[in-house]
Amino acid sequence: MNEINIGPLLLSIKVAGISTIIVFLTGTVLARLLARRQFPGKSIVESLFLLPMVLPPTVVGFGLLVLFGKNGWIGAWLADWFDIQVVFNWIGAVLASIVVSFPLMYQSASAAFQTVDDRLEQAARTMGASEWRVFRTITFPLAWPGILAGSVLSFARGLGEFGATLMIAGYIPGKTDTIPLAIYFAVEAGDMKTAWTWVIVIAALGFSALMWLNYWSRKTMRRYMSRAK
């Protein structure tokens, strides 16, 4: 019996982890900046942020390939100046995960910030608190449940990304073989044992993340209700 190589598991966690950190930071900042601001073209900007959510993953991957390929606008610049290759590299897998999971993070964070009572923030400002302190002590803690939910969903989405990853990173065993790609090519090769193993692993990871999020949400809500009594 052939042993299962854990490389795809480690790479998938690495890719999903890095992409989640990046979308957490960028999604939270952009959501905070845009949550309560109105300006011409805001709906266009937000639609662009959310567009990867409705596009086929292969279309997203094609767009990334055009931008970050060897002859792409950004890819050529990265290669010439920093000797960074995105295509057929695990960096491409991270980039694909960032793009497809960012809408989940942004949408969750934006909704969370909009639920924060701005009267609390204004009261802190009138008492001399700086904008950073208001955000750190009031806005972010109150919006944290929604931000955490977006982070968990982004991690799960990045973990299961397939189409865009295949387009830009390809399938190179030991280098770009994330779990979804390993499942696809195991089925192609007729290795159903390996395919089933990875299906169970990724389903367990996603299920565990969602179960933890639901448990944490219920626990937080019970704590909030007990304080409100």
Side-chain angles (χ1 to χ4, degrees), residues 33-206:
L33 291 175
L34 300 181
R36 296 175 184 166
R37 295 186 180 181
Q38 298 298 327
F39 56 88
K42 179 181 178 181
S43 60
I44 296 176
V45 172
E46 291 192 313
S47 295
L48 289 174
F49 287 166
L50 301 178
L51 187 59
M53 186 182 296
V54 298
L55 287 177
T58 50
V59 174
V60 175
F62 177 78
L64 293 175
L65 197 59
V66 170
L67 290 174
F68 292 92
K70 185 171 66 173
N71 298 319
W73 302 336
I74 303 176
W77 177 73
L78 289 175
D80 292 340
W81 287 88
F82 301 100
D83 195 27
I84 296 176
Q85 178 182 338
V86 175
V87 177
F88 303 126
N89 194 309
W90 69 270
I91 298 175
V94 172
L95 184 62
S97 294
I98 289 172
V99 174
V100 299
S101 62
F102 175 81
L104 293 172
M105 184 68 234
Y106 175 80
Q107 197 170 42
S108 297
S110 180
F113 284 129
Q114 290 177 14
T115 61
V116 175
D117 190 345
D118 58 356
R119 292 174 299 181
L120 298 175
E121 297 173 318
Q122 191 58 37
R125 294 187 185 100
T126 58
M127 297 177 66
S130 64
E131 286 298 322
W132 167 244
R133 187 173 183 182
V134 171
F135 176 79
R136 180 172 55 86
T137 61
I138 297 176
T139 309
F140 186 79
L142 291 176
W144 174 242
I147 294 173
L148 178 62
S151 300
V152 174
L153 293 175
S154 296
F155 178 82
R157 181 66 185 87
L159 197 65
E161 166 51 33
F162 172 75
T165 302
L166 182 60
M167 289 287 289
I168 191 170
Y171 179 71
I172 305 175
K175 190 173 182 181
T176 66
D177 53 339
T178 59
I179 291 179
L181 296 182
I183 293 172
Y184 177 81
F185 284 97
V187 173
E188 284 286 297
D191 187 357
M192 299 305 294
K193 176 178 179 289
T194 299
W196 268 112
T197 299
W198 288 127
V199 166
I200 293 171
V201 168
I202 197 168
L205 288 173

